[in-house]
Amino acid sequence: MEISVKPSGYTIVKDIRSGMQAQTFLSPVRGQQNTYWTSYRWLPALKQANGALPEIDGREHLDRLVSRHVHVKEHKAKGICFPPSKHLAFKLWPHQEHAATLMRLAKRFYLADAVGLGKTLSTLQAIMTLRTSINRVLVLCPSSVIYQWKDEIEAAVKPEFHKDYRVVIVRGTPKERDKAYATPGLIYLMTYESLLADTKRFKGEWGFPVHPDVLVLDEAWKVKSRTSLTNKALRLLSRPIEYRWALNGTPITNRYEDLFGVYLILDPLMFLSWKNFATRYCNTRMIQLRNGRQFPKIVSYRRIDELQALTSTTMIRRTKEDLGWETAHVLVNNYWVDLSTYQSVAYTKILRADINPLEKGVRARIACLIDQPPEQSPKIRQLQEILTEIIPNESAIVFSESKRFLMILLPILQKAGVTVSTISGDDTMEDRAAKVHRFTKKQTRVLLMTAAGEAGLNLQAADVCINLDLPYSPARLQQRVGRLRTHLGGKDRHVCVLNILARNTIEESIIGMLRKKLRHISQFFGAAAEDFTGCFDAEKLLNEHNT
């Protein structure tokens, strides 16, 4: 172990045995003199090299980090919880109190409980335990749930303490957002898009008007891409923030790289760099492009046990089954349809076209949906039969990746006498809330949704989820069914998942891809820790098709 100090004050450690390049193991916390942060990953190595540590008051801080690490592991293993806050209007579930305890102790934590287990209230409890030592909390979330956050916070705080937990929503035009920044409050809610726009407007962290003590990333999959502008902006903004929490019901949506992207913000010293992560945990092979260029493609993963161990202190995931909850009984039915003559011709032309593979895939998927005339589409006819004959009185949510197809479907269903509405990314937060309210009050029977409806919305009023196509991510399928809150109602409640799929098309290939991704996810969390049967069984789908 070799240790040196850069002029900037960063401590550099070179671990020759593991092959790691010289990297920052200890970094100063801005605004706190002689205070340094290191990932829990490197504590054993740094303790071993304690005698070689330079005189930066790092040893005392290292001792405190080791002590905190021991406490986090002990509290996690034994389920120890801090006493519930007296500011809460009601008692939380034990698993929520446990999560709040770990979030406060670890400071940088990934709460990956399954959809519907109350991550918002766990976060609020953690904030309450810090109330006397923090001044501002910045919560980033999708626009679809920003008012849900506000409602849940205000409902959970006793009325006499509302003034201490004032919620400010930062949205609208730049002038409206500036006014919100200047409004006194504790918890500031804003979307990732607004944050990115204002980070550019205020030129990074130095000019950003909110200087939070706590950063909360809700639906953290939105920052999983390490190369995205939002991820880069958050890495810059989060530098001086000591408490960083990520919330996500689906921590691995497609690949293990999703973890790396989120941890770049939560705990950038965990994996040091993308090069180190890819070299140590990924198997790659070279892919040749048409222009002759080559690039490495990740095909599988290794050292999964090590990856699990590294994240075990700063991540926790529980499912409804882990908590012993009696969940609703999920029934899955799959409807395979054949393409019409018009669709078959269009589909064949697309496959033969000399176009970008990504564009070809998108067009092929649309060809499985749209027909001429539109009402003759096999999927539309099957959907009409389901809504009018099979479940004529049930409320349902219908998902498709194509907004264009849903807009074609809308007047067809209205003409058939179905009360229907759509939710897409074009809706304002107010419009979306109004549509969900009408659906909850049974004023609308069917909701047509794009990906905008997959995250955060509570659609317990529905007992039927219909997939007109499948996303490439198994986690997004779980998010869809999670909107029905299958953990509520107990075993006497029945939830039905219907998948309408086209034979001999790209949709069969998507099932194969989903099956492969499911194996990766179950490897990391364990077969019992990730239950996707509420969405569909990939093996069952393929077997049904082949019979």
Side-chain angles (χ1 to χ4, degrees), residues 449-461:
M449 291 187 158
T450 61
E454 292 175 2
L457 297 180
N458 183 351
L459 300 172
Q460 187 193 347

Side-chain angles (χ1 to χ4, degrees), residues 137-322:
V137 178
L138 178 61
V139 178
L140 298 173
C141 59
S143 60
S144 60
V145 299
I146 198 165
Y147 282 100
Q148 187 174 321
W149 264 89
K150 182 176 185 292
D151 293 342
E152 287 196 40
I153 292 171
E154 292 177 348
V157 177
K158 290 179 179 177
E160 60 267 31
F161 297 109
H162 275 185
K163 64 181 184 300
D164 297 323
Y165 295 91
R166 185 173 180 183
V167 178
V168 178
I169 294 180
V170 183
R171 61 179 296 270
T173 64
K175 284 187 177 180
E176 291 172 331
R177 297 200 297 273
D178 288 342
K179 184 178 179 181
Y181 289 134
T183 304
L186 173 68
I187 301 173
Y188 290 76
L189 304 175
M190 67 186 303
T191 65
Y192 289 95
E193 292 77 15
S194 295
L195 174 97
L196 179 59
D198 286 349
T199 303
K200 294 177 181 177
R201 194 158 60 100
F202 295 114
K203 294 182 172 55
E205 67 173 291
W206 301 109
F208 200 77
V210 173
H211 299 284
D213 305 294
V214 179
L215 175 66
V216 181
L217 308 175
D218 189 24
E219 301 293 349
W221 55 267
K222 291 184 73 72
V223 293
K224 66 183 181 181
S225 172
R226 70 184 191 281
T227 59
S228 70
L229 294 177
T230 306
N231 188 295
K232 293 176 181 178
L234 276 169
R235 274 184 262 164
L236 184 68
L237 179 68
S238 64
R239 283 180 181 175
I241 303 175
E242 190 168 7
Y243 292 91
R244 309 176 196 175
W245 302 329
L247 316 178
N248 195 2
T250 52
I252 299 177
T253 53
N254 285 313
R255 304 169 297 271
Y256 290 174
E257 301 95 283
D258 298 342
L259 286 175
F260 177 82
V262 176
Y263 269 100
L264 268 181
I265 302 166
L266 277 190
D267 188 357
L269 303 181
M270 172 71 79
F271 300 114
L272 298 181
S273 70
W274 169 246
K275 180 180 178 181
N276 283 326
F277 182 90
T279 302
R280 191 155 186 83
Y281 303 113
C282 304
N283 296 314
T284 61
R285 64 183 175 89
M286 298 305 295
I287 301 295
Q288 180 119 10
L289 301 177
R290 291 183 180 180
N291 59 11
R293 296 181 61 185
Q294 292 184 329
F295 74 96
K297 179 180 179 180
I298 296 173
V299 292
S300 61
Y301 303 93
R302 60 178 181 267
R303 297 189 178 96
I304 308 302
D305 292 344
E306 179 182 314
L307 201 56
Q308 291 171 320
L310 286 177
T311 57
S312 63
T313 305
T314 56
M315 175 188 282
I316 192 169
R317 177 170 178 80
R318 282 82 53 94
T319 66
K320 300 177 286 288
E321 291 73 21
D322 295 331

Side-chain angles (χ1 to χ4, degrees), residues 48 62 234 256 277 348 419 500:
Q48 187 177 356
L62 187 61
L234 276 169
Y256 290 174
F277 182 90
T348 303
T419 54
I500 305 177

Side-chain angles (χ1 to χ4, degrees), residues 14 25 28 89 162 191 244 375 377 386 423 492 500 544:
K14 186 174 182 181
F25 273 43
H162 275 185
T191 65
R244 309 176 196 175
E375 59 271 14
S377 167
I386 290 171
I423 290 182
D492 293 330
I500 305 177
E544 284 187 0

Side-chain angles (χ1 to χ4, degrees), residues 3 12 16 18 54 91 94 102 120 146 181 201 210 294 310 340 342 360 398 403 409 456 520 529:
I3 298 187
I12 304 301
I16 301 173
S18 68
K91 184 172 176 57
L102 297 178
T120 301
I146 198 165
Y181 289 134
R201 194 158 60 100
V210 173
Q294 292 184 329
L310 286 177
S340 69
Y342 174 87
K360 181 180 291 189
V398 179
K403 177 190 169 187
L409 179 59
H520 290 323

Side-chain angles (χ1 to χ4, degrees), residues 55-71:
E55 294 296 336
I56 55 170
D57 293 337
R59 298 179 191 174
E60 292 78 6
H61 184 64
L62 187 61
D63 289 336
R64 291 194 295 271
L65 279 175
V66 172
S67 177
R68 185 187 304 134
H69 185 229
V70 171
H71 275 81

Side-chain angles (χ1 to χ4, degrees), residues 519-532:
R519 284 199 296 269
H520 290 323
I521 295 172
S522 61
Q523 260 187 307
F524 189 84
F525 290 110
E530 193 68 47
D531 177 21
F532 289 97

Side-chain angles (χ1 to χ4, degrees), residues 290 346-357 359-360 363:
R290 291 183 180 180
Y347 188 84
T348 303
K349 285 183 179 179
I350 291 169
L351 293 185
R352 293 175 178 173
D354 186 19
I355 55 177
N356 180 283
E359 182 182 355
K360 181 180 291 189
R363 289 189 179 186

